Amino acid sequence: MKGKPDPQRNMGVFEHLRELRKRLLWTLPGIGVGTVAGWYLFDPVLSYIQRLLMESGGRSAQLNFQTIGGALDLKFNLALQLGFLISSPWWILQICMFIGPGLRRSEKRYVAVFGIIGIALFAAGAYTGLRAIPEAVSALNSFVPKDAVMLLQANTFVAFCMKLILVFGLSLLTPEILVALNFAGALKVHAMLQAWRWAVVACFTFAAIANPVPNPIPMIIQALLLLVLYFLAVGICSIREYLVNSHLTPITACTHVLRKAMTKLHLAQSSQSQSVQ
């Protein structure tokens, strides 16, 4: 059944820009609250990073501060990065709320679904990045000459760990953004299918840059995972466009498919019984 037209769906460019500014402003309080929490989580998080370094890089690996104010700078930077990470459910929800006005009235219930799936994808990517840190440190430490000491700048190493976590999280969030843009009418399946070669190049390039392990196997696995998510997004968008063009709701479409399957099954059973007779 075709949804009723939503007046918000006809927003102009300036209305979209105002909505974008509104959502960006709404993300700031969430990131601010997360930064305050990150300030108090500095000690346990830094201890955990140091433990990862000691376990993967050996006892010769040490974090060093080059200036007297280096520890304070590190605390500010890490608190801000943790704030962005902790507040991810909030700013992912704001992204979904920004796309919401472009959806049909019958599709607005999917905003919450987009939010939940987006949070789950970002968390999975961030956890993957966290798990990749020890392997990356161990692999890169293997190039250090024997009897040499690895003195790492604390700001540089902590930023490396946090960027790895955030980049992996954002990479898994990208396919959902494509689906959301399709629901909002800003991206068509035809354009996504035409750009599949560029998608392959982008996935492998991103995996090569983001994956710090000097081993092609993790890079290939990560690139293939991103491609699977990309084509899964294309499949979801194809189903959605088919339903919209056919003026069907998901429930009606499922009922239609089940009815067809039952009819084919009944015809198959009838033909089998006739052949036995």
Side-chain angles (χ1 to χ4, degrees):
M1 184 175 179
K2 188 176 181 179
K4 296 180 179 179
D6 192 340
Q8 285 185 304
R9 189 172 174 81
N10 297 320
M11 294 171 62
V13 175
F14 291 105
E15 286 80 3
H16 280 295
L17 291 176
R18 280 195 290 268
E19 181 69 17
L20 177 61
R21 182 185 64 179
K22 174 184 174 182
R23 294 304 165 189
L24 289 175
L25 291 175
W26 270 103
T27 60
L28 296 180
I31 295 176
V33 173
T35 301
V36 173
W39 179 270
Y40 290 101
L41 291 173
F42 173 79
D43 290 332
V45 171
L46 185 61
S47 298
Y48 179 74
I49 292 175
Q50 284 179 308
R51 188 166 68 251
L52 289 179
L53 178 61
M54 297 293 288
E55 292 174 355
S56 306
R59 294 291 173 181
S60 62
Q62 298 178 6
L63 291 181
N64 290 270
F65 298 96
Q66 303 297 315
T67 62
I68 193 171
L72 182 60
D73 291 339
L74 176 63
K75 190 166 186 176
F76 275 115
N77 292 332
L78 183 57
L80 184 60
Q81 291 166 342
L82 287 174
F84 188 79
L85 188 64
I86 293 171
S87 64
S88 57
W90 176 250
W91 53 259
I92 289 174
L93 177 63
Q94 295 306 311
I95 293 175
C96 297
M97 295 294 290
F98 169 70
I99 297 172
L103 302 179
R104 299 172 182 269
R105 191 182 300 274
S106 60
E107 295 174 340
K108 290 187 181 295
R109 61 181 180 272
Y110 296 131
V111 171
V113 178
F114 282 137
I116 295 172
I117 295 177
I119 293 170
L121 288 173
F122 181 82
Y127 179 74
T128 304
L130 180 63
R131 297 286 295 178
I133 293 174
E135 286 78 6
V137 174
S138 179
L140 295 175
N141 185 53
S142 64
F143 294 98
V144 177
K146 189 178 180 181
D147 299 329
V149 178
M150 186 166 57
L151 300 177
L152 300 173
Q153 291 186 13
N155 282 310
T156 303
F157 181 73
V158 172
F160 164 77
C161 296
M162 295 304 299
K163 286 177 181 177
L164 196 64
I165 294 172
L166 292 173
V167 166
F168 272 64
L170 292 173
S171 67
L172 292 191
L173 192 61
T174 304
E176 192 199 31
I177 295 176
L178 297 178
V179 175
L181 290 175
N182 177 264
F183 271 66
L187 184 64
K188 299 297 182 183
V189 173
H190 180 67
M192 296 172 69
L193 289 174
Q194 279 189 329
W196 73 268
R197 295 179 180 85
W198 289 107
V200 173
V201 173
C203 288
F204 276 91
T205 303
F206 173 82
I209 295 173
N211 203 306
V213 180
N215 186 340
I217 302 301
M219 181 199 73
I220 294 173
I221 293 175
Q222 184 181 7
L224 291 178
L225 175 61
L226 293 175
L227 283 175
V228 168
L229 291 175
Y230 177 81
F231 286 108
L232 179 62
V234 172
I236 294 173
C237 296
S238 300
I239 295 173
R240 185 257 173 185
E241 287 190 6
Y242 169 77
L243 295 177
V244 170
N245 294 332
S246 304
H247 307 305
L248 296 173
T249 63
I251 297 177
T252 306
C254 291
T255 305
H256 184 65
V257 170
L258 288 175
R259 189 177 300 162
K260 272 187 166 183
M262 293 298 294
T263 303
K264 289 182 178 179
L265 181 61
H266 179 70
L267 291 174
Q269 288 178 347
S270 300
S271 61
Q272 278 186 352
S273 62
Q274 289 177 359
S275 62
V276 170
Q277 290 177 358

